[in-house]
Amino acid sequence: MVLINATEGIADRWNRRRAILDQMQDQVWHAAQVHRVSLVIVAVAALLHLLSAVLLMANSSSGQAAGLSRLPVDESWTRLTYIKNFADSFAFQFNDGEASTGATSPLWIGLNGLLAAIFGLEGDSLPALTKIVGIGFGIATLAMVFRITWQLTRSRAAGAFAAAVLAVEPHFAFASVSGTEVSMTATLALAASWAFLRGRVRTSGVLAAIALTARPEAVLLSGLIVGATIFRWMWRRDGAIFQQEQDLRDIAWLAVPSLLVIAIGITYSWSVTGDALPDSYLATKEALGLLPLSNLWNVWLGYLHELPFMHGLAWVVGLPLILLGMFTALKRHSFSAVPLALFSLALVYAAMVIYERPEEQWLFADRRHMDAALPFIVVMLVTGTVRGWQLVRRWELARNPLTEEERKAVMITAVTAMAALVLIPVIPLTGKWVTVSDEYSWSSRNVNDVNVAMGKWFEANTPASASIAAAPAGAIAFYSDRAVIDLSGKNFHDVHEHRPLTYGAEHPGYFVALRSPFFDSVPDREALHETLPGIGNEFQFGILRVYGPPVTDAADEHSRNEIALFDTTGLEIIDSIDVGNPDAPEQMSEAEHGYGISGERNGFSITARLDSGQQLTDDARVFNIEELTVAARPGQSLTIVKRYDATAPIRLRVSVDGEEAG
């Protein structure tokens, strides 16, 4: 009897364990099925996004398709200049050998530069690299949109719809193949927001800091994450913030990584330019105040109203759905959803207080500062649409019991309303696709015909030692391999203290500017060359013209295509000084000539390319005054020859026995 009972007990335990194992196996199988379906959805969205990118690059409305080698904005070529120099030196340099603070996306430049160095990419292969990387991050963004929308709505179908909408949204496709960091920023910002939504504090803080290295606007995301955490504690604790040690650790993980990135950026900018803020910000900031409401209308007209689901009368449906999605996310997830719900509004605010663009439609040069908000807007749009359908269904259930006729009428009304909620924001999509894809084609052609062509002209027609003051400067710097002063001030600090175009006109080297409306002629300079944009399109650029170095007396000038050499015929060297060389012979040393300098301004580095293909780099410091004493022979004429950088203006004062000699 005891044996039978023991056997039955063992059998019961075995059956229970077998049931648990079967249940676990069913759960694993179900999870695998869900995972497989999710992969299929992401793969389909990825194909749609890839197709969108290909359609943009294949658009030939300008007569020439952009393909993989052309970019739609000169700022993209500025990025490529940094990428090319990073691949060579692993430093952020606009001019080779000279540190710069214009790289607003060090992560984008570093990643692409590292890939270029690993695979040995250069020249026209670099634009293709940035487009491929941009598409890759675009696909990663779609995966994040799918998963986040699924979690917010509890509907995988809604997540798939959100990913599909973003995959075919033309502005997002434009950004992915623009050669800039928009899709990278969107991926990292979404990942940080999702981690915060799921309570992954450390992951969220680190990802927000990484996003900050992709775009400086991501500092708003860090602020939302930290602010939401503090307000959540105050809300739940009757105003108290820190109650235990874990609170301090959480805040440290959320705030310190971003603060560390900011501190590194400030330190780097200060060491390079003496200013805490980067040149890219100093050159673009506009004193608009903290609440320039009049500029909000410009942001609405120029950007938000041009989105497919906000265009025309679609905003009447699209805007309420987006706001409903924000409300739903905040209601369901409270403070955890703050970054997802409000980051797009934060970017709108940033655009409102920093950039004043009164044009009715912004081109990509303006849109790129806000395009990282597109995935967040799409998530809120779809979340609001699902919530709208749920409210309709709730109303239907509240009306029960219904007759069959009433039930049919309610269902027809509900389906019609749902179709309107989905289709009305999407109907303008086709028209926006035509506009945006044509813009991509024309902009890419114009940048190629104007900016790129000018850079190639400098490479073929000027000496390697030439210095160029240019606006715009990106493609010129990339193709010319010359020292380029960016007159926009984004990559050249000294311009900020002057009127940029006047600074360029006074530059002793070459000067490049748009012929109209800025300059049709420049005193004492000859127009050497100009590049023309594609004709007959609404995105047409101006004519870019290059002026030669200043000429005072053309009859006494050497040919501009030759380097003037000093003629020593009939002269005898009676004294020499070798400045900056501690190993110079005593008779040529600084001490022997009482050499001294004062009035230090800054330091820089110049790189020259030799005919053999080698490069020489010379580090230097700039001073206002140099003083020295040289030997002379009484009664004989004296010629003083000073070797100097041809890009720096030199004025020499000579005194004999203490008296000014001119």
Side-chain angles (χ1 to χ4, degrees):
M1 189 68 179
V2 174
L3 179 61
I4 294 174
N5 289 338
T7 304
E8 289 178 350
I10 294 173
D12 290 341
R13 287 197 299 272
W14 171 255
N15 289 332
R16 286 196 300 270
R17 291 177 180 177
R18 184 58 184 266
I20 293 173
L21 289 173
D22 290 343
Q23 183 180 6
M24 291 176 61
Q25 185 176 5
D26 290 342
Q27 290 175 349
V28 170
W29 179 87
H30 178 69
Q33 288 295 103
V34 170
H35 185 63
R36 188 177 298 111
V37 172
S38 299
L39 286 178
V40 171
I41 291 173
V42 173
V44 171
L47 288 175
L48 287 174
H49 184 59
L50 181 60
L51 177 61
S52 299
V54 170
L55 289 176
L56 281 176
M57 292 186 291
N59 183 299
S60 57
S61 62
S62 66
Q64 300 173 2
L68 287 171
S69 62
R70 297 183 178 182
L71 294 168
V73 63
D74 189 73
E75 189 65 31
S76 303
W77 289 105
T78 299
R79 298 286 192 278
L80 280 177
T81 301
Y82 279 102
I83 290 170
K84 178 181 68 172
N85 291 331
F86 189 90
D88 292 335
S89 63
F90 296 103
F92 298 106
Q93 301 172 347
F94 185 70
N95 289 309
D96 190 17
E98 182 178 344
S100 174
T101 65
T104 53
S105 180
L107 181 61
W108 176 258
I109 291 166
L111 175 61
N112 283 279
L114 183 61
L115 292 174
I118 292 174
F119 295 104
L121 302 177
E122 57 185 15
D124 288 338
S125 61
L126 290 179
L129 171 65
T130 60
K131 290 187 178 186
I132 293 171
V133 173
I135 292 173
F137 277 106
I139 293 173
T141 300
L142 297 177
M144 294 301 306
V145 165
F146 164 67
R147 190 62 188 88
I148 291 171
T149 307
W150 182 4
Q151 181 164 341
L152 289 178
T153 62
R154 305 184 182 95
S155 169
R156 186 168 57 195
F161 180 66
V165 169
L166 184 64
V168 297
E169 206 287 321
H171 297 90
F172 185 70
F174 192 121
S176 294
V177 290
S178 66
T180 62
E181 63 281 351
V182 173
S183 58
M184 169 188 276
T185 306
T187 299
L188 293 170
L190 284 170
S193 301
W194 188 42
F196 187 71
L197 183 70
R198 301 181 67 188
R200 306 248 178 116
V201 173
R202 298 184 179 184
T203 304
S204 178
V206 172
L207 287 173
I210 297 174
L212 185 54
T213 67
R215 277 299 304 171
E217 290 89 348
V219 69
L220 299 171
L221 180 66
S222 299
L224 288 173
I225 290 174
V226 174
T229 301
I230 293 175
F231 276 106
R232 177 169 54 195
W233 290 342
M234 294 176 63
W235 181 270
R236 294 176 179 176
R237 301 170 180 175
D238 296 327
I241 299 179
F242 303 114
Q243 290 188 342
Q244 51 190 349
E245 185 178 342
Q246 182 62 40
D247 294 344
L248 294 175
R249 286 199 294 266
D250 287 348
I251 282 293
W253 276 107
L254 290 172
V256 169
S258 293
L259 292 175
L260 183 61
V261 170
I262 294 172
I264 293 173
I266 291 175
T267 302
Y268 176 76
S269 294
W270 190 275
S271 65
V272 174
T273 65
D275 201 301
L277 297 174
D279 287 336
S280 52
Y281 173 77
L282 296 176
T284 57
K285 68 180 179 66
E286 300 176 25
L288 301 179
L290 294 178
L291 198 62
L293 294 179
S294 60
N295 199 37
L296 178 60
W297 180 245
N298 296 327
V299 177
W300 167 261
L301 284 180
Y303 185 82
L304 296 173
H305 192 54
E306 293 299 321
L307 300 177
F309 37 81
M310 302 282 278
H311 192 60
L313 293 178
W315 73 271
V316 177
V317 175
L319 182 58
L321 288 179
I322 292 170
L323 296 177
L324 178 59
M326 293 177 178
F327 176 78
T328 301
L330 292 172
K331 184 177 180 181
R332 288 179 176 174
H333 298 275
S334 185
F335 291 97
S336 297
V338 165
L340 281 172
L342 302 185
F343 182 58
S344 56
L345 293 181
L347 287 182
V348 169
Y349 174 76
M352 181 178 70
V353 300
I354 296 177
Y355 310 107
E356 186 173 15
R357 302 290 187 270
E359 297 83 4
E360 184 175 347
Q361 180 183 357
W362 291 4
L363 300 181
F364 179 71
D366 304 311
R367 293 199 309 263
R368 63 188 177 86
H369 299 289
M370 292 183 59
D371 276 347
L374 281 173
F376 291 83
I377 295 175
V378 170
V379 169
M380 293 300 110
L381 173 68
V382 175
T383 300
T385 302
V386 172
R387 182 57 179 164
W389 171 255
Q390 292 172 345
L391 291 175
V392 171
R393 290 289 296 164
R394 179 183 296 180
W395 177 83
E396 177 196 355
L397 294 174
R399 297 279 295 176
N400 283 330
L402 298 174
T403 65
E404 184 65 20
E405 291 76 11
E406 288 176 331
R407 190 186 66 79
K408 289 182 179 180
V410 168
M411 287 304 298
I412 292 174
T413 302
V415 170
T416 302
M418 185 63 187
L421 292 176
V422 173
L423 294 178
I424 290 178
V426 176
I427 287 174
L429 184 64
T430 302
K432 293 307 299 180
W433 249 105
V434 173
T435 302
V436 173
S437 61
D438 285 352
E439 177 193 347
Y440 187 87
S441 178
W442 276 107
S443 296
S444 299
R445 177 180 176 179
N446 283 335
V447 170
N448 186 74
D449 291 350
V450 177
N451 308 58
V452 171
M454 184 62 77
K456 292 180 177 179
W457 181 89
F458 272 106
E459 195 277 333
N461 295 278
T462 60
S465 60
S467 176
I468 307 164
I476 293 175
F478 181 84
Y479 277 103
S480 70
D481 272 338
R482 307 295 189 260
V484 176
I485 295 174
D486 181 6
L487 294 178
S488 72
K490 295 179 181 179
N491 304 285
F492 194 78
H493 188 71
D494 288 351
V495 174
H496 299 159
E497 301 176 0
H498 305 82
R499 297 179 60 185
L501 293 175
T502 302
Y503 185 93
E506 295 175 350
H507 176 64
Y510 294 88
F511 172 48
V512 181
L514 294 171
R515 189 181 72 180
S516 176
F518 302 119
F519 289 98
D520 189 58
S521 63
V522 179
D524 300 325
R525 289 182 184 262
E526 179 183 353
L528 302 181
H529 181 68
E530 63 185 22
T531 53
L532 303 174
I535 304 300
N537 70 94
E538 59 181 307
F539 308 109
Q540 185 178 141
F541 291 10
I543 297 173
L544 199 60
R545 174 177 283 182
V546 56
Y547 301 89
V551 177
T552 55
D553 186 358
D556 294 334
E557 292 293 323
H558 291 274
S559 170
R560 290 187 182 85
N561 295 325
E562 297 176 357
I563 301 177
L565 300 176
F566 184 76
D567 185 7
T568 59
T569 303
L571 297 179
E572 177 185 359
I573 299 177
I574 60 175
D575 196 7
S576 296
I577 176 174
D578 191 356
V579 177
N581 183 8
D583 299 323
E586 182 178 356
Q587 66 272 19
M588 298 175 62
S589 67
E590 295 181 1
E592 182 70 14
H593 295 82
Y595 180 82
I597 52 179
S598 60
E600 182 173 0
R601 293 169 52 198
N602 54 14
F604 63 97
S605 178
I606 294 178
T607 298
R609 190 182 301 275
L610 304 180
D611 293 338
S612 62
Q614 295 178 310
Q615 289 186 343
L616 293 178
T617 300
D618 188 17
D619 296 320
R621 290 179 297 166
V622 177
F623 297 85
N624 290 332
I625 301 173
E626 292 178 285
E627 294 181 341
L628 68 154
T629 301
V630 298
R633 289 178 179 172
Q636 294 187 13
S637 61
L638 177 67
T639 299
I640 299 177
V641 180
K642 187 178 188 303
R643 186 184 65 175
Y644 68 98
D645 175 20
T647 65
I650 296 295
R651 290 183 297 176
L652 191 65
R653 290 183 178 179
V654 179
S655 61
V656 178
D657 296 331
E659 298 292 329
E660 290 286 340

